Amino acid sequence: MGTERAMVLPLFMFFLVSTVSVRAQRTTTTTNFTFPGFSGNESVIQVSGAATIKPDGLLRLTDRNPDVTGTAFYNKPVRLLETNGTSTTVASFSTSFVFVIIPTSSGNGGFGFTFTLSPTPDRQGADAEQYLGLLNKDNDGNLTNHVFAVEFDTVQGFKDGEDTTGNHIGLNFNSLKSGIQQPVAYYDNGNRLEDFLLERGDPIHALLHYDGPTQTLSLTVYPASLESRPLRPLISQQPVPQLVGILQEEMYVGFTAATGRGQASAHYVMGWSFSSGVDRPLANPLNISELPPAPPNTAMERGFDPQILALIVALSGVTLILLALLFFFVMYKKRLQRGEILEDWEVNHPHRLRYKDLYSATDGFNPNKIIGAGGFGTVFRGSLSSSSSPSEQIAVKKITPNSMQGVREFVAEIESLGRLRHKNLVNLQGWCKHKNDLLLIYDYIPNGSLDSLLYTRPRQSGAVLSWNARLRIARGIASGLLYLHEEWEKIVVHRDVKPSNVLIEDNMNPRLGDFGLARLYERETLSHTTVVVGTIGYMAPELTRNGQSSTASDVYAFGVLLLEIVSGRRPTDSGTFFLADWVMELRQTGDILPAVDPRLGFGYERGEAKLALTVGLLCCHQRPASRPSMRMVIRYLDGEEDVPEIDDHWGYSDFSRRSKLEGYVSSDRADSSSVASFSVTRVSSSSVIMSGR
Ligand SMILES: *[C@@H]1O[C@H](CO)[C@@H](O)[C@H](O)[C@H]1NC(C)=O
Ligand SMILES: *[C@@H]1O[C@H](CO)[C@@H](O)[C@H](O)[C@H]1NC(C)=O
Ligand SMILES: *[C@@H]1O[C@H](CO)[C@@H](O)[C@H](O)[C@H]1NC(C)=O
Ligand SMILES: *[C@@H]1O[C@H](CO)[C@@H](O)[C@H](O)[C@H]1NC(C)=O
Ligand SMILES: *[C@@H]1O[C@H](CO)[C@@H](O)[C@H](O)[C@H]1NC(C)=O
């Protein structure tokens, strides 16, 4: 019984002290809590600002956003004032917490946090940066603040001369101006002071004890990784008599934190215990292994840790290699685009030119450089600068065949055509294949085509191509054709003899261009289709029947051209007029001379005109076999041989010449009215590509 009473009485007394404090001399209550992590304690921890309790149980006071504040207070007030008679004292209290500060980058964290005794459970109006979410610039230092804080400041020199080192701990009374401060360090058990960084990114222990009777404070901070707690506190028996004047009846305990504009850290509290209201309170020790895991240290290293350095070097190396690969890939793509990746067959062709050179020669195929556009392609003027000759004028013909299939064979032929050299041929300098384009490079001949001389110029300047010039041109063309047909190592059929393919030099020397080009289109023969390429009016009748080009069909075209040169008339109009038939009719009336271009007036040699017209008719014979060879044509024209009589079978061809040609007729963009633009390779009257089964 006696022992029972002895047990009950203290409990009863304890009850009275706790709840009915007014009755007791001592006005303190007991506060004793432990948060080994804060999961489930949202209702007792009052957070504001950036502060939050993370799902993993960590209390985060601030993240690393600039210029934020965050506070977290235990939501019940603690009573620390004791009244004994007339004197008031502060009761002892003890707290322990584990925190982590993770800076943005090592050495660049900010600003810091405090453990605070505050009259309110938040810090409304408090500022960030050096005010640590505790005070602001207006109330800093005001005695009405009633705050006591232990600051863990990581920024140096903000309040010059006051916070002497950035990494420090200070005791603050109503002000951020620390009353007492110490660089952060701990005493190892050999009693040596060891510095360490607050913003190290690792958990740090803090123990704070206030002893009421002696009005002294002691503080220990140490890395949680230490094997044992330092025995000697960093701040020991520090007298803090100011506390009595600061504390109010009810105070809230908690934390404030802030970041700065350029300097920001995430501030975490991993666990917290507090005890007060008993004689010798001792906050529950926190066992780090029972706390939530520390937040990952994501601070960017700024130091020259050899491992980090090695990592950086390695990464840089990898990056460099990747960049190099990218570079070569891009170059490869570029080369590919410029067509410089060659197929096997393209190598070892002496006449192949580099696309790059052609590209720059024509200013990137600038439309301003176009000097002609015709049935087979567009012609650009360019200047090729080489080591031998400073700048050589060229004409680049850009052809886009319907398919590239025949190109290989064509190029083989071009290669040999490139060796053709005759004063009446436009020299083919080379070729280049680029994507789906075939580029042919010719000598640039500045004067113009026969087409423009015959039809355009007279109309504009009033000057008429003289008789002698006409004869000279006709002979020159004949000579060029003879070279193609007989004098070169193999027979070359031109396939598209017409005025626009004849270029005239200043001295009226004609040059025949585009030889063999039609072949490129003929080769695009589908298995069941015959493709005939040529120009209406110049196509021999047999071409429409068997599609077979031959030297004789060239002779036919030459005949039409010769008649055209003499008469100044186009070979056909919309289908009712046929030059050869017309000349033949005149011849049959006994006087062929009215066929001569009336613009010549009397400025021509009658005998020569008669001869030329007759040779022209002879060449236009319906039967290929009855047409003379180019060699004979030249002999006739030179008067070395008499022109034979034209036989009766000449004019069979009404049906053939007058049959409507069905097929694709490509007309030219650069029409004959433009004087200034002409070129070596202009295809100026329409070229025809006909298909038939
Ligand atoms: C505080 O509470 C814990 C249990 O939560 C207990 O172990 C400890 O002794 C108490 N401390 C004081 C001073 O009452
Ligand atoms: C914190 O929350 C946990 C889980 O809800 C609870 O067990 C513990 O008592 C709380 N601690 C305090 C001090 O309220
Ligand atoms: C109150 O003060 C007196 C002297 O100032 C002291 O003797 C006494 O122990 C004190 N009582 C308490 C409960 O602290
Ligand atoms: C301190 O604060 C009080 C109330 O907030 C104000 O009236 C007073 O002027 C302040 N004192 C100083 C020195 O700023
Ligand atoms: C901390 O907790 C772990 C596991 O709960 C335990 O093994 C260890 O002994 C504790 N350490 C201390 C100092 O209490």
Side-chain angles (χ1 to χ4, degrees), residues 614-686:
T614 312
V615 171
L617 284 177
L618 199 57
C619 293
C620 290
H621 199 288
Q622 58 127 343
R623 266 201 240 129
S626 301
R627 295 172 206 151
S629 68
M630 285 317 295
R631 184 174 299 281
M632 288 312 292
V633 166
I634 288 170
R635 292 177 72 85
Y636 297 149
L637 287 177
D638 288 349
E640 292 172 6
E641 201 96 27
D642 287 338
V643 184
E645 274 305 303
I646 299 173
D647 66 45
D648 293 339
H649 300 290
W650 184 91
Y652 85 93
S653 58
D654 287 6
F655 128 78
S656 171
R657 282 194 189 116
R658 293 180 187 181
S659 69
K660 277 220 156 55
L661 295 177
E662 285 187 20
Y664 169 69
V665 178
S666 71
S667 53
D668 299 331
R669 273 198 288 130
D671 60 274
S672 52
S673 65
S674 64
V675 180
S677 74
F678 50 82
S679 88
V680 286
T681 53
R682 185 164 131 202
V683 183
S684 76
S685 57
S686 50

Side-chain angles (χ1 to χ4, degrees), residues 7 95 241 278 298 301 347-348 351 366 385 398 408 474 501 504 609 618 690:
M7 289 287 287
T95 191
V278 291
T298 51
E301 286 293 339
V347 188
N348 288 330
H351 291 97
N366 190 327
S385 41
K398 189 173 183 178
R408 181 175 177 167
N501 278 342
I504 310 295
L618 199 57
M690 295 190 307

